[in-house]
Amino acid sequence: MIVADPTIAKQLVDKMYERRKSAALDLEKLVRECHQQGDERRIGQIVDQLIEMFSSIANALHVRNGGLIGLAGTAIALGVDIAPYMERFLEPLLICFSDPENRVRYFAAECLYNIAKVSKGEVLVYFNPIFDALSKLAADPELSVKNGAELLDRLLKDIVAESASYYVPHFPEKEKRRVADGENGIVVTHPDDGGTATAPRRAFSLARFIPLLSDRVYVISPFTRSFLVSWITVLDSVPELELITYLPNLLDGLLKYLSDPTEDVRIAAENQLAEFLREIRDVTIVRKHREEEQRLREAELEEQSRVDAERAKEQSLDIPLSDTDRVAFLNGSESPVPPSDPEKPDVESYLNERDTGDWVPGQGVKIDYASIIEILIQQLDTQHDEIQQSTALLWLAECLTFAQEVMVPFTPRLIPAILPNLAHHVPMIQSSANRTNKLLLSVIQSLPSPSEAPSRQSTLPSERAASAPARAAPGSPLLVPTSPLPSRQSTQIPSTRDANLSDPLTDSTVTPTPSNIAIQKRASMQAQADGTPPPRPTTSLDGQLPARSTTPRPPSPQSLGSIAGPTSAPESPSDAFDYQSTVNALTIQFLSEHEETRVAALKWLIMLHQKAPKKILAMDDGTFPALLKTLSDTSEEVIKHDLQLLAQISSSSDDSYFKAFMINLLDLFSTDRRLLETRGSLIIRQLCLNLSTERIYKAFAEVVEKEEDLEFASVIVQKLSTILITSPELADFRRRLKSLDTRQDGQALFVTLYRSWCHNAVAVFSLCLLAQAYEHASNLLSIFADLEMTVQILVQIDKLVQLIESPVFTYIRLQLLEPDRYPYLFKCLYGLLMLLPQSSAFISLRNRLNAVNSAGFLHIAPKPSAVSAAATRSKLARDEIKWTELLGHFRAVQTRHERARRAALGTAPDISTTLPSSSIPERPPARRRVTGLGEVPAPPTVSGQSGGSGSSTNGRPGALSPLNPRARVQGGMATTLTAQGQVVNARPKRGLSIGRKT
């Protein structure tokens, strides 16, 4: 019963709503009178009776509803003074929010609405439990209850937006309880508070509310999600609360809302995330701007202080040194104290004066970038929805535009999260991944290289400390640099030191102390007065004059830090970037099934190696086998970038890396013949494109010459020869081989290639044609007669004939028009014709030779001047190149191949007599030699006529071979080689001019 008023109590529990409402109005008047009279005891009893009415489940429904409406009337009567009683009834009232009866839940929401409306900011003290209960009502199935909860929700949002940032509870006992619980809100300090610890605490505690909000953010119900997003929006709209500080607690849940099936939830979450991203950008820009202003101000004041100090010292130098009352020498450990200027404020007061006190949005806000990026990286796996991945990539890309220094340390983790999405099947994710990858690549590329921007405290002082004693004891083992540089990089430091630090004792990078400045100036003035050059002062790392010592001592970390400045200076972005971890993450991407990912990983490695060639991708760091294995990739684009990287590493490394690369590449070709057949030409051509062709071919030649697998050696030489002849990238290289008579380097190159090309007979013959060594090529044909003409050799000869018809050998076809200058060329081509079976290549070559013969060029006698010039050129070539030794080497190599072929067939007879054992090649038999024009043979002729008149024969008609250019017959008949290879008699023909037909 209501104390002292049974009528009100009876009507309050009536079944009719109108009577209960009338009783609540009467109770409101009663409580107001009690409050005016100060009867707090009676008000407390009334509140306790009302709590008993609505909290007891045993009571009837109308009784419970009467207790709720009576409590609402009591709160309206008390107004803000209802706060002391909230602790009594709030918990049982919130329990009614989950009551199974719809009417109870509705009247409970209506009751709390009236309480919050009159209590204003006092309700914020209990905001957490109210928010927890209200979030459950947001998804209530009863429409009336949901509508009541929305009204209460709107009221609470207005209260929070209006007074959450400054409202202080009016009841100290409640504040003491909250202080004991350790509650406090995170807000910008109010100007009146002064930032002191004794400032009153506010009613709303964002720090205490965030754990509850971050726990509720993972709900599934779309109604509750909408409720939570709306509250996040409201809290974020209050500038003083700075909800952005707690974004890591909410970001993961908000990203999940993007895949909600309800469109309203998705749109609300997307808009709020965009707002958060904008705030992060603004806060970061404001912070950078403030830091830059601070640095400029400090630098300005520092410079002014330095100028004033120097001016004071210059004035002190004008005082006579004997005046001890006014001047005193300063020792090396002390610094002069400039006279204080009462009109000049110090740095701190100056900065405080310059600070106008205006509030700037985002100023002083702390953002946990690391946690945010960590959450974004986690969103990029395949377990999350596509819209989440796309949004995470968008955030990462935006962060790369305004917070590069924050993103740099996360590069090893960003790469495996971004690169696989470059080949995503969703175009939106693929485009976002491409943009993010390009931005991250450009950010890392813009970092200073380790070799270009080393930390001054870690290199220059140590070099100075090591250079000073180096004059007295050069080459001392104590002069080894102690800085943790790579071995290859450390080998280059002495040369740089000798070239750039000619006088390390006066290095301008030493930070002069005031005492040193004074001593140096006094010494300089005294030296000028005496007319002698001033002595060169030596300065130690700690600013004192060092004692003479012959033993160098490495600088201590403390001394290094004293020169560079305070040890607490933040590390630069280049120091925060972990090269090795990034390389390891990129190497793992070689295993990706997507071509785009592998290509991007190689592009990253190319860029990183360009920045730090001495720091990553060494022979022993584990990446070389992965790069070599990538050459077997199915993608041509991957192979090209892999070869570009390998070529780049080889060009910046010593010869050992390059040689090891060539050896391993040949081993790969040897074990994977399919790779050699399908990708061998591409690999070799790309290497020649990225590196020096001569270096590539010389390295291959040196390795192949010692190859024990003769069959593989023959195959790789054939491949190299084909590339040499056909590849347009090797045009300059072919041009060098043609100049054997004039260029010394071309002759050495020819000999190097020749010795390895001997593993393939047709390849070495092609090399001689390419180098225009026709006489030596004709001598090789005499050895061909002793070789076993296998099908493989005949196929290679067939391909060579086809290549002769290609543009590469245009000069050979034109040289056929000058038989007097190139007589052995005809012998070479006719020799090929005789080796070939009657195939399409045979017909092609025969037609070419017949075309020259039909034009009448074979009947032109050589001119003496031309003959002498050819003989002179041949003599020069023979003097530089030892052709006899080359022929002997060719015989020896082919003998080994012959033995290997017979051993493979299971028979190993003695074949020492197969090829001549003498290292000196035999000249053609005597029956192939004629006399008449000295050592230079006359131009060959198909019809067998001589090139001039009056020369005598040296044998019977037909005794010489038709291939011999000196072949001639007596009488008027000559032998002619028909297309079928038969010799028939023909009438001699007169030599005709070029313009007439034969």
Side-chain angles (χ1 to χ4, degrees), residues 348-523:
E348 184 176 359
S349 61
Y350 176 75
L351 294 177
N352 290 336
E353 289 180 3
R354 292 289 300 271
D355 191 0
T356 59
D358 295 338
W359 180 78
V360 179
Q363 179 179 341
V365 178
K366 296 181 180 180
I367 297 179
D368 191 356
Y369 294 98
S371 299
I372 294 175
I373 298 173
E374 184 75 25
I375 295 173
L376 295 175
I377 293 175
Q378 295 174 1
Q379 302 295 319
L380 296 179
D381 56 16
T382 56
Q383 298 178 356
H384 293 82
D385 197 75
E386 296 169 355
I387 185 63
Q388 296 176 237
Q389 300 180 42
S390 177
T391 305
L393 288 170
L394 174 64
W395 273 59
L396 291 174
E398 290 299 322
C399 291
L400 285 169
T401 59
F402 59 81
Q404 296 88 349
E405 70 282 355
V406 178
M407 303 293 291
V408 167
F410 286 91
T411 304
R413 297 196 55 201
L414 288 172
I415 285 176
I418 296 175
L419 263 58
N421 289 316
L422 296 177
H424 204 280
H425 62 278
V426 178
M428 179 176 59
I429 297 179
Q430 185 177 354
S431 60
S432 299
N434 277 317
R435 178 171 179 263
T436 308
N437 180 55
K438 290 179 180 178
L439 288 172
L440 182 60
L441 185 69
S442 62
V443 167
I444 301 302
Q445 194 171 7
S446 63
L447 293 178
S449 300
S451 58
E452 296 177 359
S455 56
R456 304 183 69 89
Q457 64 269 25
S458 62
T459 56
L460 295 178
S462 61
E463 291 182 1
R464 289 194 299 272
S467 300
R471 298 180 176 180
S476 172
L478 296 177
L479 298 179
V480 178
T482 58
S483 58
L485 296 176
S487 59
R488 290 189 301 276
Q489 186 177 4
S490 62
T491 58
Q492 300 177 359
I493 291 179
S495 61
T496 305
R497 180 185 306 149
D498 295 339
N500 298 333
L501 302 179
S502 58
D503 200 348
L505 299 179
T506 59
D507 193 345
S508 60
T509 57
V510 177
T511 302
T513 60
S515 60
N516 290 335
I517 295 175
I519 293 173
Q520 293 177 15
K521 288 187 176 180
R522 291 191 182 97

Side-chain angles (χ1 to χ4, degrees), residues 280-290 369 402:
I280 294 175
R281 184 191 302 108
D282 295 344
V283 169
T284 306
I285 294 175
V286 169
R287 176 179 58 83
K288 288 184 177 181
H289 182 68
R290 296 284 295 181
Y369 294 98
F402 59 81

Side-chain angles (χ1 to χ4, degrees), residues 3 23 110 120 143 153 178 202 247 257 305 308 317 341 359 496 528 559 584 625 656 669 712 741 768 883:
V3 177
E110 184 183 60
K120 299 294 183 181
L143 183 59
D153 177 55
R178 294 180 67 247
R202 294 162 180 80
L247 180 59
Y257 289 4
S305 301
D308 293 344
L317 292 177
D341 189 356
W359 180 78
T496 305
Q528 292 177 2
S559 61
N584 295 337
S656 60
F669 284 153
F712 169 71
D741 301 339
C768 292
W883 299 103

Side-chain angles (χ1 to χ4, degrees), residues 802-822:
Q802 297 177 16
L803 290 175
I804 290 176
E805 299 295 326
S806 66
V808 177
F809 285 114
T810 301
Y811 67 95
I812 287 183
R813 301 196 297 272
L814 291 176
Q815 288 171 0
L816 290 175
L817 302 178
E818 303 179 79
D820 53 338
R821 293 185 59 187
Y822 308 101

Side-chain angles (χ1 to χ4, degrees), residues 613-649:
K614 303 297 182 182
K615 196 168 184 178
I616 61 171
L617 299 178
M619 176 65 72
D620 54 352
D621 64 354
T623 55
F624 179 76
L627 294 176
L628 197 65
K629 185 178 180 181
T630 309
L631 294 176
S632 304
D633 198 276
T634 56
S635 170
E636 183 174 331
E637 195 69 19
V638 173
I639 295 177
K640 287 182 179 179
H641 284 84
D642 188 28
L643 290 170
Q644 181 182 351
L645 177 58
L646 287 170
Q648 184 175 297
I649 298 172

